[in-house]
Amino acid sequence: MMKRKELLVAISLLFAACGPKVSETSTSVDRIDLSNYEGSVDQKIKSISVVNLDVDDSWSYINQSRMTMTANRYVFVHRYAKRLLMYDLKGKKVVDRSIQGRGPGELNSVENVFAQDNKVYCFDDGDGSLISYDEKGKYVSKLSFEDGADYVYGLGDSFIGLSIFRDDYVYVYDKDLKQTGSFLELDEFFKYNSSSFGFNPTSYLFKDSLRFIMSHDYTIYSLSNGSFTPRFEFVAENSIPSSFYKQYEGMHKNALDMSSDLAKGGYDYGFCSLAETERYLVFEYFSSKSGTKTCLFDKHDKTLYKSFVPERFIDEENASDVTSHDVWQNLIYYLIPSYSDGESVYVRISKDIYQVLKLSVDKLDDRQKSLYRDITLYMARNPLSGVD
């Protein structure tokens, strides 16, 4: 059997967590000044390593998948092939099943996935249903929403829906999916005007809270225990003025025109790739003037670290004079968070990074060398063909 190896959603970033852990009992807002940063993101990375998952033909379903974790499982759900994969914490595959269809335990479209009480929930935004499975991949239940949502999450004894097609953006439901509340009334501009950032997350669960940011906005909101508050506010160097929105109210089909106007204005926007640990917030944003930035905010020290688009992309022609910093720029640029917990951020990364590390092997620092060894061993166990 041909084996596939794509190094996607298979790297764990462990950010150093020196000092006391941050309590989330506070409702204070952290204002993050994007123009004031202490250094590059790699300064706060303690280690980076491969998560060794079993690899066979089903590995292709890791690509373009959503990820979550239970206490005992890594879980991946492929959005388009509708495939459910589960691995134990040693990386052994224990579940591999198709969930596409209209029968029990099957669905039409997977928008997001989350875990609760060691059950895995898949939200089918096609028919507004929530389907759950146990850790053996067995179908457990199906719940249906009367009103549409873009994303659904479980939070304690409640479910939370996010929607740009209704009067408010946030809807709270009890365990029987009866609506109990709503938050964040939508201005006309935000209705139907939600930019997609592919698989770069703009909402996530952190402990007992749901965090999210709306497209073209500068605030990450937090919903927890019935309390709805801003948690992080970005102070941009060139933020989108409120007058910009007025010209596009009710004009959601003119996305190309809007993107062109954003580029002309040189605005900072497009906050995505959100992830959070006990101490750090990870995010990415875009500037029409200077490209994509990957950032890490220290919630304890209130300091920001930032990495930019690589000054040079490493290849055979320029590998002889690269530095460890160049390697980090290339590495961080391609990281896409898939899941985060108290200490680690799990990310997807292209297998092409192996070639970057290999070309720069004499310039690697200890953390990069460890990652290079991990990937080398991983690839030796999972040989590639020319088309993989």
Side-chain angles (χ1 to χ4, degrees), residues 241-261:
S242 58
S243 58
F244 178 89
Y245 302 132
K246 294 295 182 183
Q247 62 183 313
Y248 283 101
E249 287 183 354
M251 298 175 62
H252 59 279
K253 293 183 179 180
N254 290 334
L256 291 178
D257 291 340
M258 184 172 66
S259 296
S260 176
D261 287 342

Side-chain angles (χ1 to χ4, degrees), residues 22-303:
V22 176
S23 171
E24 282 299 312
T25 58
S26 172
T27 58
S28 62
V29 180
D30 281 327
R31 292 175 59 83
I32 303 174
D33 184 350
L34 299 176
S35 64
N36 184 19
Y37 58 97
E38 297 295 317
S40 59
V41 170
D42 60 277
Q43 292 177 240
K44 305 298 284 186
I45 295 177
K46 182 178 181 182
S47 66
I48 178 169
S49 58
V50 175
V51 179
N52 289 292
L53 305 178
D54 281 348
V55 176
D56 55 26
D57 278 355
S58 65
W59 180 252
S60 61
Y61 297 114
I62 298 294
N63 186 24
Q64 296 188 341
S65 64
R66 302 291 194 189
M67 178 184 177
T68 190
M69 287 183 68
T70 68
N72 306 295
R73 299 284 186 265
Y74 298 107
V75 181
F76 304 91
V77 179
H78 195 280
R79 289 185 66 192
Y80 305 114
K82 289 82 174 181
R83 196 88 180 179
L84 174 65
L85 300 176
M86 295 188 190
Y87 300 81
D88 66 21
L89 299 187
K90 294 182 179 180
K92 180 181 178 181
K93 187 174 69 174
V94 293
V95 175
D96 178 4
R97 59 167 291 186
S98 171
I99 53 175
Q100 182 174 16
R102 298 183 179 275
E106 297 177 331
L107 38 72
N108 300 308
S109 175
V110 183
E111 189 51 58
N112 70 314
V113 60
F114 61 90
Q116 194 174 41
D117 297 328
N118 287 338
K119 287 194 292 187
V120 174
Y121 289 84
C122 294
F123 176 57
D124 184 347
D125 61 329
D127 66 359
S129 63
L130 195 60
I131 297 175
S132 65
Y133 308 88
D134 64 19
E135 289 185 320
K136 295 181 179 180
K138 182 179 178 181
Y139 167 59
V140 176
S141 66
K142 177 178 180 178
L143 300 170
S144 296
F145 291 83
E146 293 183 0
D147 300 304
D150 303 318
Y151 299 90
V152 171
Y153 293 92
L155 195 61
D157 295 328
S158 304
F159 294 103
I160 313 297
L162 305 177
S163 176
I164 60 167
F165 299 103
R166 301 170 66 186
D167 291 336
D168 299 318
Y169 186 61
V170 183
Y171 290 85
V172 182
Y173 304 86
D174 64 17
K175 60 183 179 60
D176 298 315
L177 297 191
K178 180 181 178 181
Q179 185 179 318
T180 59
S182 63
F183 302 94
L184 196 56
E185 181 179 357
L186 287 176
D187 293 334
E188 284 301 311
F189 170 78
F190 288 105
K191 287 186 179 180
Y192 309 100
N193 264 318
S194 179
S195 296
S196 172
F197 300 104
F199 287 87
N200 301 45
T202 56
S203 56
Y204 61 97
L205 291 169
F206 175 70
K207 301 169 86 170
D208 60 350
S209 301
L210 172 65
R211 314 273 214 229
F212 64 90
I213 190 169
M214 298 177 63
S215 62
H216 309 103
D217 200 6
Y218 295 86
T219 301
I220 296 179
Y221 294 96
S222 181
L223 179 63
S224 178
N225 298 323
S227 175
F228 177 73
T229 58
R231 181 60 184 87
F232 303 99
E233 291 185 352
F234 299 115
V235 181
E237 297 174 72
N238 190 13
S239 59
I240 303 173
S242 58
S243 58
F244 178 89
Y245 302 132
K246 294 295 182 183
Q247 62 183 313
Y248 283 101
E249 287 183 354
M251 298 175 62
H252 59 279
K253 293 183 179 180
N254 290 334
L256 291 178
D257 291 340
M258 184 172 66
S259 296
S260 176
D261 287 342
L262 286 169
K264 291 176 183 177
Y267 303 118
D268 299 322
Y269 67 101
F271 292 87
C272 63
S273 295
L274 304 180
E276 190 173 349
T277 67
E278 289 280 358
R279 180 160 178 176
Y280 297 106
L281 172 71
V282 183
F283 62 94
E284 181 180 290
Y285 74 98
F286 180 79
S287 168
S288 302
K289 292 183 177 179
S290 52
T292 300
K293 285 102 167 170
T294 302
C295 302
L296 183 150
F297 176 70
D298 188 326
K299 295 187 288 183
H300 175 64
D301 293 337
K302 312 299 182 186
T303 52

Side-chain angles (χ1 to χ4, degrees), residues 11-18 40-49 280 282 294-296 305 307 327-329 331-333 335 343 345 347 365-368 371:
I11 294 180
S12 173
L13 282 175
L14 179 59
F15 295 113
C18 305
S40 59
V41 170
D42 60 277
Q43 292 177 240
K44 305 298 284 186
I45 295 177
K46 182 178 181 182
S47 66
I48 178 169
S49 58
Y280 297 106
V282 183
T294 302
C295 302
L296 183 150
Y305 296 81
S307 291
V327 177
W328 276 118
Q329 280 193 320
L331 181 59
I332 292 171
Y333 180 74
L335 300 183
E343 296 293 342
V345 177
V347 302
D365 65 23
D366 289 343
R367 296 164 298 170
Q368 294 164 341
L371 176 62

